[in-house]
Amino acid sequence: GSLCNINVCALSPDHQSNCYLALPANSHTGDVLLYDTLNLTEFKIIHAHKTPLAALAFSMDGTMLATASETGTIIRVFS
């Protein structure tokens, strides 16, 4: 997917030697790409929303990720 218009991302704190960057997987859907910053590899794609992402945030311990889409009606939390 195209990553040219990224305006939302989140970086997890180091949690038991895991550190992830969450960013939109593309500019058309609400999919989240989790990138493992320690191993420099794609970790997982999360199908969070049907519309583009508006916000991403990790919990303080880095174990949960909250997402919201441009629609603004639902906040989802993933662990």
Side-chain angles (χ1 to χ4, degrees), residues 6-78:
I6 296 174
N7 58 8
V8 171
C9 68
L11 183 63
S12 72
D14 188 359
H15 177 59
Q16 297 178 351
S17 301
N18 293 319
C19 190
Y20 297 104
L21 175 65
L23 64 154
N26 59 60
S27 61
H28 308 292
T29 68
D31 293 343
V32 179
L33 167 64
L34 284 183
Y35 188 80
D36 181 335
T37 61
L38 298 178
N39 296 305
L40 303 178
T41 58
E42 182 179 305
F43 176 69
K44 181 187 288 190
I45 298 282
I46 299 172
H47 304 291
H49 301 274
K50 292 180 182 176
T51 59
L53 296 166
L56 295 167
F58 279 99
S59 61
M60 292 300 291
D61 65 1
T63 61
M64 292 185 286
L65 174 68
T67 65
S69 73
E70 289 180 351
T71 303
T73 56
I74 295 175
I75 295 172
R76 293 199 166 109
V77 178
F78 300 89

